[in-house]
Amino acid sequence: MHPTLTTAVKAARRAGQIITRASQDVDLLKVSSKRQNDFVTEVDRAAEDAIIAILREAYPDHAILAEESGESGSTSEYRWIIDPLDGTTNFIHGTPQYAVSIGLEHRGQMQSGVVFDPLRNEMFTASRGRGAFLNDRRIRVSRRAKLGEALLGTGFPYRVWDHVDAYLGMFKELMQKTAGLRRPGAAALDLAWVACGRFDGFFEIGLSPWDIAAGSLLVSEAGGLVGNLLGETGYMESGNMVAATPRIYPAILQAIEPHLTEALRA
């Protein structure tokens, strides 16, 4: 395992311990709202602090982008992108679908990624050019090739409503053309599930870099394709993403294309 990945795994496990301990008394947590339908708890902050402490100890010169504390550190070519608790709304409701996500970017390209599901003790890892793994087992995207047989993950718009009509058009189109759509509520895990074949594809609008940094590398290292709603690069900047098996990917793009507004094509 690459040293940066080893460090990320250590940090993810430490955050997972904090999250698991707090899950025993969810009703006692202090919850605040950053904006509409976007919540943060003391667990998010404690987990993020623990992750940053471990990363800083190993790589003090690296920059960091974290969901709760924002940008910090130097102007290094390396940048850690952290979501300490992806699926906070699930967590505070006791819904068992959330994860820790840690990715390392070098000159704008993802190099290492970890998505850790503490409930299932599933550690998804990937290093550029070295494949993707679930715990110690190599994983690949599914071999499913027909959209009509595909199970897709997605995420509903919940913070910004500018594109809700376009999204509903895509949702209706794919609902009719696939075996099913699922909305578990944690994009990092959705992408990890594409990487290991539980989902055949995933699409969402309005994500943040920390939601998708590690998961996008997992999918590509597992043999899948990742892009924006036009099948191009720039999904980290726009937050609009499609990820899927090589055969399902173009079919999703074709299905959603008629519903893209000018803003979503930009």
Side-chain angles (χ1 to χ4, degrees):
M1 189 178 291
H2 192 278
T4 59
L5 194 58
T6 300
T7 301
V9 167
K10 178 182 177 181
R13 287 205 181 278
R14 178 68 187 110
Q17 291 170 356
I18 294 169
I19 293 165
T20 299
R21 189 162 56 244
S23 70
Q24 312 300 318
D25 296 297
V26 170
D27 291 341
L28 301 179
L29 292 178
K30 296 178 182 178
V31 180
S32 57
S33 179
K34 293 184 284 187
R35 50 191 179 275
Q36 184 181 12
N37 296 333
D38 193 5
F39 303 100
V40 60
T41 72
E42 55 195 316
V43 178
D44 296 72
R45 296 190 175 101
E48 184 170 293
D49 289 346
I51 291 169
I52 291 174
I54 290 172
L55 298 181
R56 284 265 180 257
E57 182 180 6
Y59 301 101
D61 297 329
H62 286 188
I64 289 176
L65 171 63
E67 179 175 12
E68 307 309 333
S69 56
E71 294 268 9
S72 63
S74 67
T75 55
S76 169
E77 294 179 344
Y78 290 91
R79 182 174 70 157
W80 293 94
I81 305 176
I82 304 164
D83 192 337
L85 178 52
D86 184 37
T88 298
T89 301
N90 283 346
F91 178 78
I92 62 180
H93 285 82
T95 301
Q97 187 77 359
Y98 45 81
V100 181
S101 177
I102 305 172
L104 176 63
E105 179 186 71
H106 180 237
R107 295 182 178 178
Q109 188 175 59
M110 296 307 304
Q111 298 297 317
S112 300
V114 168
V115 173
F116 179 47
D117 179 344
L119 280 168
R120 300 175 180 86
N121 194 30
E122 291 188 334
M123 182 71 73
F124 296 88
T125 60
S127 293
R128 179 161 296 279
R130 301 187 183 190
F133 295 81
L134 168 50
N135 296 333
D136 295 323
R137 178 176 60 85
R138 181 75 177 261
I139 55 175
R140 300 286 295 176
V141 295
S142 80
R143 297 181 179 179
R144 205 156 280 112
K146 296 180 180 179
L147 186 62
E149 299 173 353
L151 180 65
L152 305 186
T154 188
F156 305 147
Y158 66 98
R159 285 191 301 248
V160 179
W161 306 101
D162 298 358
H163 308 300
V164 67
D165 291 335
Y167 174 82
L168 290 174
M170 299 176 203
F171 188 89
K172 180 179 179 181
E173 187 87 21
L174 287 167
M175 185 169 58
Q176 298 175 77
K177 292 184 174 180
T178 64
L181 299 178
R182 300 289 184 268
R183 200 278 188 181
L189 268 185
D190 291 342
L191 290 167
W193 283 19
V194 173
C196 72
R198 295 174 188 170
F199 285 154
D200 304 299
F202 168 80
F203 72 103
E204 189 166 348
I205 294 171
L207 293 161
S208 299
W210 44 80
D211 298 320
I212 56 181
S216 63
L217 184 64
L218 285 169
V219 173
S220 60
E221 286 296 320
L225 298 176
V226 183
N228 65 13
L229 303 181
L230 296 173
E232 301 169 352
T233 59
Y235 55 87
M236 287 283 285
E237 292 77 20
S238 69
N240 305 326
M241 169 184 260
V242 174
T245 74
R247 300 284 292 277
I248 299 297
Y249 183 78
I252 296 175
L253 294 176
Q254 183 177 11
I256 67 175
E257 197 279 334
H259 306 282
L260 298 182
T261 61
E262 288 302 314
L264 290 174
R265 293 176 187 275

